[in-house]
Amino acid sequence: SRWAAFLGTVDLRLVVAVVAVASFILGLLGLRAFLPHQPSSAGYGQGWDDTVFYDLQLYTFAAAPANGAGPFPVTLEIARFLAPLGALLAALAALRLVLAEQVRRYLAAHASDHAIVVGEGAVALTLARNLGKGTDGAGEGKKVVLVSTSDDTITLARRHDILTVRGDSSDQATLGAAGVARAAELYACTSRGLGNTDIALLAGQLTASRAQPLSAYALIPDAELGVGLRARRIGVSGAPGLRLDFFGLEDGAARKLLACYPLAWDAGDAPHVVIVGFSA
């Protein structure tokens, strides 16, 4: 429903902050109006420091002036209930963070027929997002688990509801936490170049006993090296649970560019193409 969608977008931390500030201000105003009218025998302090201290105690039901029978000013009456509510919401927000982390770890470790993206930065994040969107960007794509050592990449991935695992992808335990035993695909696109091949081969060792081989794709920055590795299929013969291939960003970008904007010219005319750039 629309209400459920709206509540799902509400930041609980912002709600906690608003409730805490509102209850503090209302409590301060209410106590300043309430304390001067109390008998000296009650022993309540009336200075600013005492008032602030009593106000802070509202969050734990321990404010002595507010524990009586009243009557209380409207602002203090509201603060008596709003302050404990803010404390409760803060506890729920902390609990949600803890449970959310545990749930993410469980879902990543027990995922099946999913894609694992290993890497950091824009390349890994964009690839994970596109895999999750599907081929046309409109339908539901694959379940994706992103493995990275970058806190920034992990944080951005979670904003897009991508399952994440923080850790070194060259460690068997990290790949195991990403559910590599039941994964359908693995994309190794770290900045380490040939280290991506090592990650793919390690994943192949972990899935060697599977009936269905793991499809692994290793990012190779050097275009000529990628062609050589693709021709030789290094390591495939020794990894029965792995189908290994190599890819480069420039090669894929060029193919995508020509697919979206095909070159067209009259038959018999030589095409004139200008390529501007200094990278691969």
Side-chain angles (χ1 to χ4, degrees), residues 4 23 38 72-74 91 111 122 183 198 225 229 241 243 253 275:
S23 60
Q38 301 308 302
F72 301 105
V74 175
D198 297 333
L225 179 60
L229 291 176
R243 286 200 302 260
I275 300 177

Side-chain angles (χ1 to χ4, degrees), residues 19-32 34-35 38 44 51 54-88:
V19 171
V21 172
S23 60
F24 180 82
I25 294 175
L26 291 174
L28 195 64
L29 295 175
L31 287 169
R32 292 297 295 175
F34 177 72
L35 291 176
Q38 301 308 302
Y44 300 143
T51 305
Y54 292 144
D55 195 8
L56 294 174
Q57 287 182 323
L58 289 173
Y59 296 97
T60 59
F61 299 98
N67 288 336
F72 301 105
V74 175
T75 52
L76 182 57
E77 193 71 67
I78 296 175
R80 291 174 66 200
F81 293 94
L82 197 59
L85 176 62
L88 177 61

Side-chain angles (χ1 to χ4, degrees), residues 52-122:
V52 172
F53 184 72
Y54 292 144
D55 195 8
L56 294 174
Q57 287 182 323
L58 289 173
Y59 296 97
T60 59
F61 299 98
N67 288 336
F72 301 105
V74 175
T75 52
L76 182 57
E77 193 71 67
I78 296 175
R80 291 174 66 200
F81 293 94
L82 197 59
L85 176 62
L88 177 61
L89 290 176
L92 291 177
L95 181 62
R96 189 177 73 168
L97 288 176
V98 174
L99 292 180
E101 180 65 25
Q102 297 300 322
V103 170
R104 280 193 294 264
R105 290 181 181 179
Y106 178 86
L107 293 177
H110 293 80
S112 60
D113 196 29
H114 60 293
I116 298 176
V117 177
V118 179
E120 61 283 327

Side-chain angles (χ1 to χ4, degrees), residues 33 52 54 82 87 94 100 108 156 158 174 200 206 212 232 240 245 252-253 270:
V52 172
Y54 292 144
L82 197 59
L156 291 174
R158 290 177 178 175
T174 301
L206 298 177
Q212 184 69 23
R232 293 172 177 265
D245 202 351

Side-chain angles (χ1 to χ4, degrees), residues 175-210:
L175 292 179
V180 69
R182 292 170 300 280
E185 302 171 347
L186 180 140
Y187 298 85
C189 47
T190 69
S191 58
R192 290 179 289 175
L194 286 177
N196 293 325
T197 304
D198 297 333
I199 295 171
L201 294 177
L202 175 60
Q205 296 175 6
L206 298 177
T207 58
S209 59
R210 293 191 344 181

Side-chain angles (χ1 to χ4, degrees), residues 241-274:
L242 179 68
R243 286 200 302 260
L244 178 61
D245 202 351
F246 307 92
F247 70 97
L249 295 180
E250 293 79 9
D251 178 72
R255 294 177 184 274
K256 183 67 175 179
L257 179 65
L258 289 177
C260 295
Y261 305 98
L263 298 178
W265 55 84
D266 295 332
D269 293 340
H272 296 274
V273 180
V274 178

